[in-house]
PDB file of all heavy atoms in Angstrom:
ATOM      1  N   PRO A 194      -3.357  -9.930 -40.058  1.00 91.00           N
ATOM      2  CA  PRO A 194      -3.544  -9.764 -41.500  1.00 91.00           C
ATOM      3  C   PRO A 194      -3.090  -8.390 -41.980  1.00 91.00           C
ATOM      4  O   PRO A 194      -3.453  -7.370 -41.405  1.00 91.00           O
ATOM      5  CB  PRO A 194      -5.055  -9.945 -41.676  1.00 91.00           C
ATOM      6  CG  PRO A 194      -5.465 -10.802 -40.536  1.00 91.00           C
ATOM      7  CD  PRO A 194      -4.593 -10.376 -39.391  1.00 91.00           C
ATOM      8  N   GLY A 195      -2.258  -8.385 -43.017  1.00 93.00           N
ATOM      9  CA  GLY A 195      -1.797  -7.131 -43.583  1.00 93.00           C
ATOM     10  C   GLY A 195      -0.683  -6.455 -42.830  1.00 93.00           C
ATOM     11  O   GLY A 195      -0.258  -5.360 -43.201  1.00 93.00           O
ATOM     12  N   LYS A 196      -0.219  -7.091 -41.752  1.00 94.00           N
ATOM     13  CA  LYS A 196       0.850  -6.482 -40.948  1.00 94.00           C
ATOM     14  C   LYS A 196       2.076  -7.375 -40.947  1.00 94.00           C
ATOM     15  O   LYS A 196       2.000  -8.577 -41.208  1.00 94.00           O
ATOM     16  CB  LYS A 196       0.365  -6.245 -39.515  1.00 94.00           C
ATOM     17  CG  LYS A 196      -0.748  -5.217 -39.400  1.00 94.00           C
ATOM     18  CD  LYS A 196      -1.058  -4.917 -37.956  1.00 94.00           C
ATOM     19  CE  LYS A 196      -2.126  -3.846 -37.828  1.00 94.00           C
ATOM     20  NZ  LYS A 196      -2.429  -3.527 -36.412  1.00 94.00           N
ATOM     21  N   GLU A 197       3.206  -6.778 -40.626  1.00 95.00           N
ATOM     22  CA  GLU A 197       4.444  -7.552 -40.540  1.00 95.00           C
ATOM     23  C   GLU A 197       4.469  -8.390 -39.264  1.00 95.00           C
ATOM     24  O   GLU A 197       3.804  -8.064 -38.282  1.00 95.00           O
ATOM     25  CB  GLU A 197       5.652  -6.609 -40.553  1.00 95.00           C
ATOM     26  CG  GLU A 197       5.870  -5.906 -41.871  1.00 95.00           C
ATOM     27  CD  GLU A 197       7.188  -5.160 -41.911  1.00 95.00           C
ATOM     28  OE1 GLU A 197       7.888  -5.124 -40.881  1.00 95.00           O
ATOM     29  OE2 GLU A 197       7.504  -4.603 -42.976  1.00 95.00           O
ATOM     30  N   ARG A 198       5.246  -9.441 -39.324  1.00 96.00           N
ATOM     31  CA  ARG A 198       5.458 -10.241 -38.114  1.00 96.00           C
ATOM     32  C   ARG A 198       6.153  -9.400 -37.052  1.00 96.00           C
ATOM     33  O   ARG A 198       7.023  -8.577 -37.373  1.00 96.00           O
ATOM     34  CB  ARG A 198       6.324 -11.456 -38.452  1.00 96.00           C
ATOM     35  CG  ARG A 198       5.612 -12.454 -39.309  1.00 96.00           C
ATOM     36  CD  ARG A 198       6.429 -13.704 -39.492  1.00 96.00           C
ATOM     37  NE  ARG A 198       5.637 -14.725 -40.160  1.00 96.00           N
ATOM     38  CZ  ARG A 198       6.017 -15.980 -40.286  1.00 96.00           C
ATOM     39  NH1 ARG A 198       7.171 -16.376 -39.810  1.00 96.00           N
ATOM     40  NH2 ARG A 198       5.224 -16.845 -40.901  1.00 96.00           N
ATOM     41  N   GLU A 199       5.785  -9.639 -35.810  1.00 97.00           N
ATOM     42  CA  GLU A 199       6.358  -8.888 -34.696  1.00 97.00           C
ATOM     43  C   GLU A 199       6.792  -9.839 -33.602  1.00 97.00           C
ATOM     44  O   GLU A 199       5.984 -10.656 -33.124  1.00 97.00           O
ATOM     45  CB  GLU A 199       5.321  -7.913 -34.134  1.00 97.00           C
ATOM     46  CG  GLU A 199       5.789  -7.130 -32.928  1.00 97.00           C
ATOM     47  CD  GLU A 199       4.684  -6.307 -32.278  1.00 97.00           C
ATOM     48  OE1 GLU A 199       3.501  -6.550 -32.592  1.00 97.00           O
ATOM     49  OE2 GLU A 199       5.010  -5.427 -31.452  1.00 97.00           O
ATOM     50  N   GLY A 200       8.053  -9.756 -33.223  1.00 97.00           N
ATOM     51  CA  GLY A 200       8.514 -10.524 -32.078  1.00 97.00           C
ATOM     52  C   GLY A 200       7.852  -9.988 -30.824  1.00 97.00           C
ATOM     53  O   GLY A 200       7.785  -8.769 -30.631  1.00 97.00           O
ATOM     54  N   VAL A 201       7.368 -10.871 -29.962  1.00 98.00           N
ATOM     55  CA  VAL A 201       6.638 -10.463 -28.767  1.00 98.00           C
ATOM     56  C   VAL A 201       7.460 -10.690 -27.502  1.00 98.00           C
ATOM     57  O   VAL A 201       7.606  -9.794 -26.671  1.00 98.00           O
ATOM     58  CB  VAL A 201       5.309 -11.221 -28.678  1.00 98.00           C
ATOM     59  CG1 VAL A 201       4.589 -10.907 -27.363  1.00 98.00           C
ATOM     60  CG2 VAL A 201       4.414 -10.883 -29.861  1.00 98.00           C
ATOM     61  N   ALA A 202       7.978 -11.894 -27.348  1.00 98.00           N
ATOM     62  CA  ALA A 202       8.723 -12.232 -26.127  1.00 98.00           C
ATOM     63  C   ALA A 202       9.644 -13.406 -26.412  1.00 98.00           C
ATOM     64  O   ALA A 202       9.354 -14.225 -27.286  1.00 98.00           O
ATOM     65  CB  ALA A 202       7.767 -12.577 -24.984  1.00 98.00           C
ATOM     66  N   ALA A 203      10.729 -13.468 -25.656  1.00 97.00           N
ATOM     67  CA  ALA A 203      11.684 -14.561 -25.838  1.00 97.00           C
ATOM     68  C   ALA A 203      12.305 -14.931 -24.505  1.00 97.00           C
ATOM     69  O   ALA A 203      12.383 -14.099 -23.589  1.00 97.00           O
ATOM     70  CB  ALA A 203      12.765 -14.169 -26.834  1.00 97.00           C
ATOM     71  N   ILE A 204      12.741 -16.183 -24.407  1.00 96.00           N
ATOM     72  CA  ILE A 204      13.432 -16.662 -23.217  1.00 96.00           C
ATOM     73  C   ILE A 204      14.565 -17.564 -23.674  1.00 96.00           C
ATOM     74  O   ILE A 204      14.382 -18.430 -24.527  1.00 96.00           O
ATOM     75  CB  ILE A 204      12.446 -17.389 -22.262  1.00 96.00           C
ATOM     76  CG1 ILE A 204      13.139 -17.815 -20.984  1.00 96.00           C
ATOM     77  CG2 ILE A 204      11.762 -18.570 -22.946  1.00 96.00           C
ATOM     78  CD1 ILE A 204      12.147 -18.248 -19.888  1.00 96.00           C
ATOM     79  N   ASP A 205      15.756 -17.358 -23.122  1.00 93.00           N
ATOM     80  CA  ASP A 205      16.888 -18.179 -23.562  1.00 93.00           C
ATOM     81  C   ASP A 205      17.119 -19.340 -22.601  1.00 93.00           C
ATOM     82  O   ASP A 205      16.381 -19.525 -21.627  1.00 93.00           O
ATOM     83  CB  ASP A 205      18.133 -17.313 -23.769  1.00 93.00           C
ATOM     84  CG  ASP A 205      18.727 -16.768 -22.466  1.00 93.00           C
ATOM     85  OD1 ASP A 205      18.337 -17.232 -21.381  1.00 93.00           O
ATOM     86  OD2 ASP A 205      19.582 -15.863 -22.554  1.00 93.00           O
ATOM     87  N   SER A 206      18.153 -20.110 -22.883  1.00 89.00           N
ATOM     88  CA  SER A 206      18.414 -21.320 -22.109  1.00 89.00           C
ATOM     89  C   SER A 206      18.806 -21.026 -20.664  1.00 89.00           C
ATOM     90  O   SER A 206      18.751 -21.908 -19.810  1.00 89.00           O
ATOM     91  CB  SER A 206      19.495 -22.168 -22.786  1.00 89.00           C
ATOM     92  OG  SER A 206      20.684 -21.412 -22.947  1.00 89.00           O
ATOM     93  N   ASP A 207      19.215 -19.783 -20.390  1.00 91.00           N
ATOM     94  CA  ASP A 207      19.543 -19.393 -19.017  1.00 91.00           C
ATOM     95  C   ASP A 207      18.356 -18.773 -18.294  1.00 91.00           C
ATOM     96  O   ASP A 207      18.466 -18.360 -17.142  1.00 91.00           O
ATOM     97  CB  ASP A 207      20.698 -18.384 -19.017  1.00 91.00           C
ATOM     98  CG  ASP A 207      21.994 -19.007 -19.506  1.00 91.00           C
ATOM     99  OD1 ASP A 207      22.250 -20.186 -19.166  1.00 91.00           O
ATOM    100  OD2 ASP A 207      22.746 -18.326 -20.237  1.00 91.00           O
ATOM    101  N   GLY A 208      17.224 -18.675 -19.000  1.00 91.00           N
ATOM    102  CA  GLY A 208      16.031 -18.094 -18.386  1.00 91.00           C
ATOM    103  C   GLY A 208      15.918 -16.591 -18.535  1.00 91.00           C
ATOM    104  O   GLY A 208      14.979 -15.979 -18.014  1.00 91.00           O
ATOM    105  N   TYR A 209      16.852 -16.007 -19.270  1.00 95.00           N
ATOM    106  CA  TYR A 209      16.784 -14.561 -19.494  1.00 95.00           C
ATOM    107  C   TYR A 209      15.634 -14.264 -20.442  1.00 95.00           C
ATOM    108  O   TYR A 209      15.489 -14.917 -21.468  1.00 95.00           O
ATOM    109  CB  TYR A 209      18.092 -14.053 -20.083  1.00 95.00           C
ATOM    110  CG  TYR A 209      18.063 -12.586 -20.430  1.00 95.00           C
ATOM    111  CD1 TYR A 209      18.208 -11.613 -19.448  1.00 95.00           C
ATOM    112  CD2 TYR A 209      17.867 -12.176 -21.744  1.00 95.00           C
ATOM    113  CE1 TYR A 209      18.172 -10.274 -19.767  1.00 95.00           C
ATOM    114  CE2 TYR A 209      17.826 -10.826 -22.075  1.00 95.00           C
ATOM    115  CZ  TYR A 209      17.978  -9.887 -21.086  1.00 95.00           C
ATOM    116  OH  TYR A 209      17.932  -8.557 -21.400  1.00 95.00           O
ATOM    117  N   THR A 210      14.830 -13.266 -20.096  1.00 96.00           N
ATOM    118  CA  THR A 210      13.658 -12.931 -20.907  1.00 96.00           C
ATOM    119  C   THR A 210      13.800 -11.557 -21.544  1.00 96.00           C
ATOM    120  O   THR A 210      14.510 -10.686 -21.041  1.00 96.00           O
ATOM    121  CB  THR A 210      12.376 -12.966 -20.068  1.00 96.00           C
ATOM    122  OG1 THR A 210      12.503 -12.031 -18.976  1.00 96.00           O
ATOM    123  CG2 THR A 210      12.129 -14.356 -19.506  1.00 96.00           C
ATOM    124  N   ASN A 211      13.100 -11.397 -22.648  1.00 96.00           N
ATOM    125  CA  ASN A 211      13.085 -10.116 -23.348  1.00 96.00           C
ATOM    126  C   ASN A 211      11.703  -9.928 -23.950  1.00 96.00           C
ATOM    127  O   ASN A 211      11.038 -10.916 -24.312  1.00 96.00           O
ATOM    128  CB  ASN A 211      14.149 -10.090 -24.441  1.00 96.00           C
ATOM    129  CG  ASN A 211      14.448  -8.685 -24.911  1.00 96.00           C
ATOM    130  OD1 ASN A 211      14.065  -7.705 -24.271  1.00 96.00           O
ATOM    131  ND2 ASN A 211      15.118  -8.563 -26.041  1.00 96.00           N
TER     132      ASN A 211
END
Side-chain angles (χ1 to χ4, degrees):
K196 294 187 177 181
E197 292 189 356
R198 291 187 172 190
E199 177 188 14
V201 175
I204 183 167
D205 70 13
S206 57
D207 294 322
Y209 176 79
T210 59
N211 197 14

